[in-house]
Amino acid sequence: MEAERKSTKRLSTARDLAGVVAEYYLECHRAKAEGKPVGWMPPMNGAIEIFYAMDLQPVFPENWSPVCAAFGLTPAHFEVSEGMGYSRDLCGYLRNIVGYLYGDMHGQGVPLGGLPEPDLILSFGGGCIPAMKIFQVLEERFPLARIFRADGPQVAVEDIRDHHVAYAVSEMHRLIGFLEEATGRTMDYGRLREVVELSDRACELWDEIMSYRKFVPTPISASEIGIMFVMVTRQGTPIAVDFLTRVRDEVKQRAADGLGVIADEKVRLFWDNIPLWYNMGLFNSFEKMGGVVVAETYSAAWSLRLDTSDPIEALARKSLMSYSLVSCLSIERRKEMVLKSCRDFSIDGAVFHQNKSCAPITLGQADIRKALAEELGIPSITIDADHMDQRNFSLAQFQTRADAFMEMLLLKKRF
Amino acid sequence: MNTHLLVAPFDHALRTKRERLREAASRGKKVLGYFCTYTPVEILHAGGFLPVRIWGGRGPVEKAYSLVPNFICPYMKRSLENALNNEYDFLSGLVQGYTCDVACGLVNIWKGNIPMIISHSVPLPYNDTLQSREFLRSVLGELMERLSKIGGSFPDGALGASWDLYTQIRRALSDLSRRRSQGRLDLDAADFVTVVQAGFVTEPEAYLTMLKELVSSPDPGCGVSPREGIPVLVSGSVVEDANVLALIGKHGLLVVADDLCTGLRSFTPASGMGESPLERLVDRTMKRFPCPSRSHPRERIPLVKGLVADSGARGVIFLFQKFCTPHLADHPMVSQALRDDGIPSISIEMDEDGLLDAQVATRLETFSGMLEAADGS
């Protein structure tokens, strides 16, 4: 069975995303060429704002993996990493980036010019284990880069107390001290405040855009969720704010016009876990039967407002919360978020991606499914797949299950 | 099966663990479970609780699949299966020092599905700095607060007494490990894993008495014949089944040392520096022989090589729990570093039924033959 690998995007601004992505990677290479320090770092923490405030260039190897998947490069990368002894049972992000680093990193055909080599690496403890291990491999691969080992102990959002915040704040100061020493630049705290304000503005816009998904029909679906690229790579810059403002304006207008992503929206769906980056077209596969993926768990990671009165503490709190919000660090909080989301967005059914490449998000899904059924009467299905490795996904099996699920939901809604 | 006289009390302790722990609970003792040895057991004990490491064991996984996917490690799947089958009906709660993603997730899944009065994950720092030590003191203080709310109390001197008790246990185990490695104690690897694991499920006071008797056993030269086989080191995470180590012994290999969390890593180092028991606990936590879930492979590699050199091992057998991300992710770098030093290795994965497949015996035989040939060349 053949299916469209790329999602169909209805927003003109979402279609502009390719240009935003290309410009970001161009900027990364320009920075390298001009001698601006390039630092590789994990996403979903406060380091990005510190980098932009110090006019340093952040690069996100984890984010590079979805790009590789979209360009169909992952099979070749997996071949390299698995040849080095990395087990197929490991996260696909890890296997992909290792394969890229030790494979075609400097190849002629690498899209977007690939990633410029790092001068700085923010290795870390915290977040998930595969992400930590990715950065340990980077340390080996780039022995000349200056290494900062960040520490972000894992704590559930609802359990965060003053001593957790105090430690995260001390890590922010330590990072700034390291960057000042390594690059010879000085942190301008006024500039940092401006960057954090921009970051918070992006979060505000993000929340506003997501809120328009409450409209029936929804003016934006998971097919357009690639817009989160700017939340990963551009937080703290006017670029993110400008792009999201345009997205917001378009979504707002579509909502006012009653324009849905499909003409006849019958069923509203929730998606749990990371998308299948090599087959984003899957989101559209429900549409032939009137289903639209209206909300998802992953977007919650960017729904974090920052208290701009204390930029350092705001970034410390962001670093503590982002991973916790979407992982098994707090299944209880995630359950509350999913239930709220399903209520707010008038969800009819949920799709749980049991993701072989991500145990932290997959763990807890059974409890959330149960709560959805018992508390809200919302049915759900589980699909077995992998956000990076298409060998762990059967499209035919998915299609059969998705069709049966949609038929059941349509029957339930008496269509 | 352990029939050795010295090991019999430990074997018995393992076989009767559930009955003993139920009996302790019926006497009013609050038993708290943990998965990983990074859990600060001294604090649980000082608060009046009995810390017990959760066992997984071999067997099928059925009920657990209603709550977790199949691609997590067998130890965690089996422990949940046991919990859903009321195997741990003596437990009052779960306290876990944060190590891997799956252990973290399982703490929360237990919390939602197994009746308990406490479920707490201790967020441990990764770096060793003044600030991280201060942070660790804070999270340990937070743990004491939480334990106090469920009936724990920490009178003056309690933490010091618990620290001393567990330190004595760790010193005794270190001593046994060293003597075993040097061929001065008639315990094979399977015996030793049995001895260590008995400590996870026994009251520490009673366990220390058992260990003292074992430690006082005579050195060879008093009639113990040296064991035979090509010396190897085993490295991995949880190896609960002593038969796995016995199987290695059946193929001409002699396990002389280990880097397992059911072995050396659980008691190394034995103590820590500091003026107070809390400071010593913090210091020991920071200086532990690290698990891959909490360290860079570059930190572990020299330590593993050191174990190989000290024990005279000719090769390394990696024993992995299937789907164990921290160990699998480090394996390419660690095995390459060993290869660079001319130390051969193989890796074997274990599932919930024990060793993963029937090919393991052939692989062990081949590995043994290869080491033998290398010795002869």
Side-chain angles (χ1 to χ4, degrees), chain A residues 89 133 140 149 163 328, chain B residues 108 126 142 292 298-299 322:
Chain A
D89 289 332
K133 293 295 170 190
E140 296 304 304
R149 290 216 184 141
H163 55 270
C328 59
Chain B
N108 286 318
Y126 290 83
E142 182 189 348
R298 284 289 153 212
E299 291 156 13
K322 187 160 173 61

Side-chain angles (χ1 to χ4, degrees), chain B residues 50-270:
Chain B
L50 173 57
V52 168
R53 189 174 191 177
I54 303 295
W55 59 86
R58 292 174 69 165
V61 176
E62 290 163 0
K63 291 180 184 172
Y65 284 141
S66 67
L67 293 171
V68 294
N70 63 357
F71 49 81
I72 63 168
C73 74
Y75 169 59
M76 287 297 170
K77 281 190 280 194
R78 283 286 307 152
S79 68
L80 181 60
E81 183 77 12
N82 289 339
L84 294 170
N85 285 324
N86 296 318
E87 172 111 3
Y88 316 123
D89 51 6
F90 50 83
L91 277 185
S92 291
L94 205 55
V95 173
Q96 163 71 0
Y98 194 103
T99 46
C100 72
D101 303 329
V102 174
C104 164
L106 266 288
V107 169
N108 286 318
I109 288 170
W110 277 52
K111 184 180 178 181
N113 295 281
I114 311 293
M116 296 185 293
I117 59 171
I118 184 172
S119 167
H120 185 73
S121 192
V122 184
L124 303 168
Y126 290 83
N127 292 339
D128 185 4
T129 61
L130 286 175
Q131 291 86 354
S132 67
R133 286 182 176 232
E134 177 59 38
F135 173 69
L136 181 53
R137 279 190 287 277
S138 300
V139 296
L140 294 177
E142 182 189 348
L143 171 62
M144 289 162 88
E145 265 178 49
R146 291 234 26 211
L147 293 173
S148 298
K149 285 180 184 161
I150 59 159
S153 66
F154 295 87
D156 285 349
L159 184 56
S162 297
W163 170 261
D164 289 343
L165 178 61
Y166 279 99
T167 300
Q168 285 186 68
I169 287 172
R170 288 189 289 261
R171 284 194 172 129
L173 289 169
S174 298
D175 181 43
L176 287 172
S177 175
R178 192 167 42 250
R179 285 168 60 193
R180 210 186 76 71
S181 192
Q182 294 165 349
R184 296 193 290 118
L185 187 71
D186 188 22
L187 285 184
D188 65 19
D191 290 336
F192 189 60
V193 159
T194 301
V195 169
V196 175
Q197 289 197 102
F200 296 147
V201 293
T202 303
E203 293 83 347
E205 297 84 355
Y207 182 60
L208 181 60
T209 305
M210 292 158 68
L211 280 178
K212 280 180 176 170
E213 285 176 24
L214 183 58
V215 170
S216 63
S217 64
D219 280 358
C222 309
V224 175
S225 57
R227 292 178 180 274
E228 290 181 355
I230 301 167
V232 292
L233 175 136
V234 290
S235 173
S237 54
V238 178
V239 177
E240 293 182 287
D241 184 0
N243 289 318
V244 171
L245 295 163
L247 181 69
I248 292 171
K250 283 180 187 161
H251 290 86
L253 300 163
L254 178 67
V255 179
V256 289
D258 79 82
D259 159 36
L260 301 173
C261 82
T262 44
L264 177 131
R265 287 207 306 275
S266 69
F267 53 80
T268 305

Side-chain angles (χ1 to χ4, degrees), chain A residues 81 84-87 89-91 94 123-130 132-133 135-137 139-140 149-155 158-159 161 163-165 167 170-171 174 323 328-332 354-360 362-367 370 384-385, chain B residues 66-72 98-106 108-109 111-113 120-129 131-133 135 138-139 142 145-146 149 291-299 322-326 328-333 339 349:
Chain A
S81 55
M84 292 168 69
Y86 287 88
S87 165
D89 289 332
L90 288 165
C91 162
L94 169 65
S123 193
F124 73 109
C128 67
I129 296 281
M132 178 172 83
K133 293 295 170 190
F135 282 84
Q136 293 174 353
V137 174
E139 288 184 39
E140 296 304 304
R149 290 216 184 141
D151 196 347
Q154 297 93 334
V155 59
E158 63 272 26
D159 292 334
R161 292 171 58 169
H163 55 270
H164 302 112
V165 177
Y167 186 50
S170 77
E171 282 295 284
R174 198 167 67 83
Y323 173 68
C328 59
L329 256 176
S330 173
I331 291 171
E332 198 54 39
Q354 187 164 272
N355 183 352
K356 188 161 183 282
S357 262
C358 191
T362 300
L363 287 168
Q365 283 183 326
D367 288 304
K370 191 169 161 224
D384 295 307
Chain B
S66 67
L67 293 171
V68 294
N70 63 357
F71 49 81
I72 63 168
Y98 194 103
T99 46
C100 72
D101 303 329
V102 174
C104 164
L106 266 288
N108 286 318
I109 288 170
K111 184 180 178 181
N113 295 281
H120 185 73
S121 192
V122 184
L124 303 168
Y126 290 83
N127 292 339
D128 185 4
T129 61
Q131 291 86 354
S132 67
R133 286 182 176 232
F135 173 69
S138 300
V139 296
E142 182 189 348
E145 265 178 49
R146 291 234 26 211
K149 285 180 184 161
C291 167
S293 69
R294 305 207 55 81
S295 62
H296 193 297
R298 284 289 153 212
E299 291 156 13
K322 187 160 173 61
F323 302 116
C324 176
T325 290
L328 289 173
D330 276 10
H331 178 245
M333 224 185 278
R339 258 196 309 279
E349 287 190 317

Side-chain angles (χ1 to χ4, degrees), chain A residues 290-311:
Chain A
V292 180
V293 180
V294 173
E296 62 283 305
T297 329
Y298 209 41
S299 50
W302 317 108
S303 183
L304 271 178
R305 298 299 302 278
L306 304 175
D307 179 357
T308 54
S309 67
D310 187 342

